[in-house]
Amino acid sequence: MQTAKQNYRVQLSITILSVVLFAAKIIAYQFTQSLSILTDALESIVNVIAGFIGLYSLYVAAKPRDMDHPYGHGKAEFVSAAAEGALIIAAGIMIVYETVLNIIRHSPLQELSIGLWLVGGTAVINFIAGGICIKIGKQNNSPALLASGKHLQIDTYSTLAVIAGLFVILFTGFAWLDKLIAFFLSVLVIYNGYKILRRSLAGIMDEADIELLNRFIRVLNEHRRENWIDLHNLRVIKYGSLLHVDCHLTVPWYLNVHEAHREIDALSALIKQQFGDALELMVHTDGCLPFSCSICTKQDCTVRQHPFEQKVEWTMKNLISDQKHRLA
């Protein structure tokens, strides 16, 4: 719950900042009449709207689970990130539209130096804020904060492109570069919007996070206990900042209930140490069977029926399988 509240406070700050930076870019456009600055400001409209969407989603995600939502409200963050991705794509299309209109109208450029100072300041602030947002988003496993942070940094890169182009125009007089920059910015914006939208829909559909799974499996292999004879039917899903893990854990058949539970406690402590305290762990324990002896590394087993032959390295393939491990 503390993590969710921190996410909300960060998103609130980002939303307020987005409103201020949008106003600065609009002022810069009024001074310069630059299409590049206008397109940058149009993307900032998306920052503002997405900020409020993200703020509401984090408010919902911070609610505890209830009768209607037994797994909590964390998926609201994926919905927010999906909406933000769609808005970014819409901003890119708006930039293309404004570029075409400007080509037809031939609007002249004015007061570029003032505009450069204003948009330059927004670029610095956006980059710092985006970096903070991404850091906290990774720390708290928050898709909404990650989407907001990446959006802010994308905004920074597009603003830097605008600044570079305006410098060239200022010293060369090549006003047509303003339209060219706006067009390339639109392509970049649409592509990044697609990536955010794609990741969000994957989260909504509970698509496997391969990077997370690989890290999870690496941690299990590095800290594997001898009583963890076998682990299979592994499922790892993120709902906002909450990590849901369920699996089947094979332990020596002669352990009593309390001893088996201590192994689950050790597994839970390991996951929390590596991935944070926001964890919901569901473990089904199985007792080992005679064919488990050949892969069991337990040294002091007094009831072993078959000699140890080979340790099975846990991999993506054999951990997500719903079959107990055995040698072929």
Side-chain angles (χ1 to χ4, degrees):
M1 187 62 68
Q2 291 301 318
T3 297
K5 288 180 179 178
Q6 182 188 27
N7 292 347
Y8 181 83
R9 288 194 298 269
V10 172
Q11 185 63 45
L12 176 60
S13 301
I14 292 299
T15 303
I16 295 171
L17 179 65
S18 296
V19 174
V20 173
L21 295 182
F22 168 67
K25 289 180 180 179
I26 289 297
I27 293 171
Y29 169 68
Q30 291 299 323
F31 273 111
T32 64
Q33 295 298 303
S34 165
L35 180 61
S36 299
I37 292 178
L38 176 61
T39 57
D40 206 29
L42 285 175
E43 190 184 355
S44 292
I45 293 176
V46 181
N47 285 349
V48 173
I49 297 171
F52 282 106
I53 292 173
L55 194 62
Y56 179 71
S57 77
L58 288 170
Y59 165 74
V60 173
K63 292 182 178 180
R65 61 185 181 179
D66 52 32
M67 289 287 290
D68 294 328
H69 304 87
Y71 290 99
H73 300 76
K75 278 203 173 183
E77 289 197 42
F78 288 121
V79 176
S80 163
E84 186 164 345
L87 286 170
I88 293 172
I89 293 172
I93 295 172
M94 288 169 65
I95 293 170
V96 173
Y97 174 74
E98 289 295 332
T99 303
V100 173
L101 284 184
N102 194 268
I103 290 171
I104 297 171
R105 293 170 183 165
H106 298 291
S107 301
L109 298 175
Q110 308 167 17
E111 300 293 342
L112 288 184
S113 57
I114 297 175
L116 282 169
W117 280 107
L118 284 171
V119 295
T122 66
V124 173
I125 295 170
N126 260 340
F127 188 80
I128 295 172
I132 294 171
C133 207
I134 289 172
K135 181 180 178 181
I136 297 175
K138 287 180 177 178
Q139 177 184 311
N140 295 345
N141 292 316
S142 171
L145 284 185
L146 284 171
S148 292
K150 288 177 181 176
H151 191 181
L152 286 173
Q153 291 202 332
I154 290 167
D155 196 28
T156 300
Y157 301 142
S158 62
T159 301
L160 290 176
V162 169
I163 293 170
L166 291 178
F167 264 114
V168 173
I169 294 168
L170 191 62
F171 289 104
T172 65
F174 295 155
W176 55 268
L177 282 174
D178 191 48
K179 301 174 182 62
L180 186 63
I181 292 168
F183 176 77
F184 281 110
L185 276 180
S186 67
V187 174
L188 176 66
V189 167
I190 291 170
Y191 173 69
N192 283 291
Y194 162 77
K195 289 200 299 182
I196 291 174
L197 181 60
R198 173 69 182 83
R199 283 194 299 269
S200 304
L201 292 178
I204 292 171
M205 296 298 294
D206 289 334
E207 182 178 307
D209 186 332
I210 302 303
E211 182 180 345
L212 175 63
L213 271 173
N214 281 328
R215 183 185 166 205
F216 197 89
I217 293 167
R218 184 172 63 253
V219 167
L220 289 177
N221 277 311
E222 290 173 354
H223 300 85
R224 186 170 171 178
R225 292 161 60 97
E226 65 174 5
N227 279 338
W228 299 352
I229 298 172
D230 176 26
L231 192 145
H232 57 281
N233 209 19
L234 174 67
R235 302 289 184 270
V236 180
I237 301 172
K238 283 197 301 184
Y239 292 115
S241 60
L242 186 63
L243 187 68
H244 288 262
V245 179
D246 61 80
C247 63
H248 289 199
L249 178 66
T250 301
V251 297
W253 61 265
Y254 51 81
L255 297 187
N256 62 39
V257 173
H258 296 292
E259 291 169 333
H261 199 274
R262 280 198 290 271
E263 297 302 324
I264 296 174
D265 287 342
L267 178 62
S268 176
L270 171 63
I271 298 171
K272 287 182 178 180
Q273 180 186 15
Q274 298 291 329
F275 297 91
D277 292 332
L279 170 71
E280 187 169 82
L281 176 66
M282 303 292 180
V283 180
H284 172 81
T285 54
D286 295 320
C288 61
L289 295 173
F291 62 75
S292 303
C293 290
S294 60
I295 63 171
C296 177
T297 60
K298 191 171 177 62
Q299 299 292 325
D300 58 350
C301 182
T302 59
V303 295
R304 182 182 291 276
Q305 298 183 29
H306 304 286
F308 169 73
E309 295 183 38
Q310 179 184 334
K311 178 181 178 180
V312 175
E313 190 74 13
W314 288 345
T315 65
M316 177 85 69
K317 183 177 180 180
N318 61 32
L319 282 188
I320 64 175
S321 169
D322 62 355
Q323 298 295 321
K324 291 183 179 179
H325 302 159
R326 65 172 76 194
L327 295 180

